[in-house]
Amino acid sequence: FIDPMKRALPWPVVPDPAEGEVRPIPGRAGAGPWRLFASTFDETSCRAPRLSRDALVMLAICQGLDPSRPADEHVILLQDKRLHRYANPVAPLPNVPGGATVDLAADGKRFAVVIEEGGGRSIHIVNLETATDTRLSGGWRNPGNPLLSGDVGAISFTAEVGGNPAIVAVSIEDKKAWVAWQGGRKSRLAVHGVASGGKRVLVTANAAVNDQLFLVDVDHNVFHDLSGDAGNVTSAALHQSAEAAVFTARIGGACGVFWVDLQGRKAKDFVGSVDECYDRAKLEDTRRYVLYEVKPAGGERKVALYDRKKSKVAQEMPVTCSDAYFSGDGHVMAARCQGNEQGWGIYLFVNTVE
């Protein structure tokens, strides 16, 4: 199901960086930012960038790559200086906070994608090492918002179980599935992280009125409220160790970015404002950098890179950028941007903070 694509231009040769210089992005030369697919095709519609831990594998969802069905979206994968298209069309974006229809494993060896087939939706896990395409099936309907664990062990996603919204966790190795959260008919549910084996899942759910953040221990059938009743959580991310998380929330007339130590299960804000709000928080492996979007009241949103070590915003992307993501090592950032000379598309940036 993976079709090779010819790149518009040859990959530039990047010399080894001299001591003290910023490590370059593989296959990129010059000062950047760089367009992800180097204008090989019309990238105007591309969205949902995903990067592996070392940024050697990258993907995005793009439209218009099937002349017979121009409205279809496809996963475009960049791996080993080669471009590939996943032939099955991607299901439309679900109405889920922070939801997406694709996820890339941290090691870059697998991706999960929601596609439409047989009159419904299903999740496929594509293993790039073994060239296998596995469809997940079970006692659920309309799956979406898939997230892979940091190892080969698990995936979690939203779905309908028994006619109501739910969050499902699957141990791929054990071929077992659990309902991590069962909601009511009007529940708003989203997955923000899944730990090894699928035994712990980070979710948001409107247990009362607001969307609260919960860590669900599937193995022991218990959950822990991480955000409290006061906040309305807008995004979250789970650290690969499953020992820490970040989330953004709106609390009354103020907004904040919060850090959670999952051992003590106490949230502490490190960014707050009454003039702007925050969304799409991401956390990298060292726990030093947090990437999030800033939404000023009446202004254009922008992407900020916060340095927890120095307790300040260390870098910002142009105000036309959103839908941001970054590599697990925190070195490479990606976002959908407008306003660069090449127009709309996914652009790559380097974290220049030392």
Side-chain angles (χ1 to χ4, degrees), residues 238-300:
L238 181 67
H239 187 259
Q240 62 169 352
S241 67
E243 295 177 353
V246 293
F247 68 92
T248 59
R250 183 189 298 269
I251 305 174
C255 296
V257 185
F258 296 80
W259 176 266
V260 187
D261 178 353
L262 297 182
Q263 301 299 321
R265 303 188 187 98
K266 292 185 178 180
K268 180 180 180 181
D269 68 306
F270 57 90
V271 175
S273 176
V274 295
D275 299 318
E276 56 191 21
C277 284
Y278 312 98
D279 200 358
R280 296 179 181 269
K282 301 289 186 296
L283 177 65
E284 48 84 39
D285 293 350
T286 70
R287 311 187 195 192
R288 175 177 175 179
Y289 300 109
V290 178
L291 195 71
Y292 55 86
E293 291 188 14
V294 183
K295 301 188 293 182
E300 291 186 279

Side-chain angles (χ1 to χ4, degrees), residues 37-57:
F37 301 120
S39 301
T40 299
F41 52 88
D42 182 3
E43 300 178 43
T44 302
S45 65
C46 292
R47 62 177 179 85
R50 297 291 183 268
L51 283 66
S52 65
R53 179 176 291 115
D54 54 11
L56 293 177
V57 181

Side-chain angles (χ1 to χ4, degrees), residues 1-26:
F1 292 99
I2 302 292
D3 300 328
M5 298 175 64
K6 187 175 180 180
R7 190 176 182 273
L9 300 170
W11 288 102
V13 177
V14 179
D16 292 334
E19 186 176 351
E21 292 185 1
V22 175
R23 175 164 63 91
I25 298 178

Side-chain angles (χ1 to χ4, degrees), residues 5 92 113 145 251 258 297 302 338:
M5 298 175 64
V113 59
N145 184 206
I251 305 174
F258 296 80
K302 58 185 177 181
Q338 181 189 30

Side-chain angles (χ1 to χ4, degrees), residues 205 207-214 225-234 247-256 258 267:
V209 177
N210 292 326
D211 292 342
Q212 298 167 239
L213 185 67
F214 299 96
D225 184 355
L226 303 179
S227 60
D229 295 331
N232 191 31
V233 177
T234 55
F247 68 92
T248 59
R250 183 189 298 269
I251 305 174
C255 296
F258 296 80

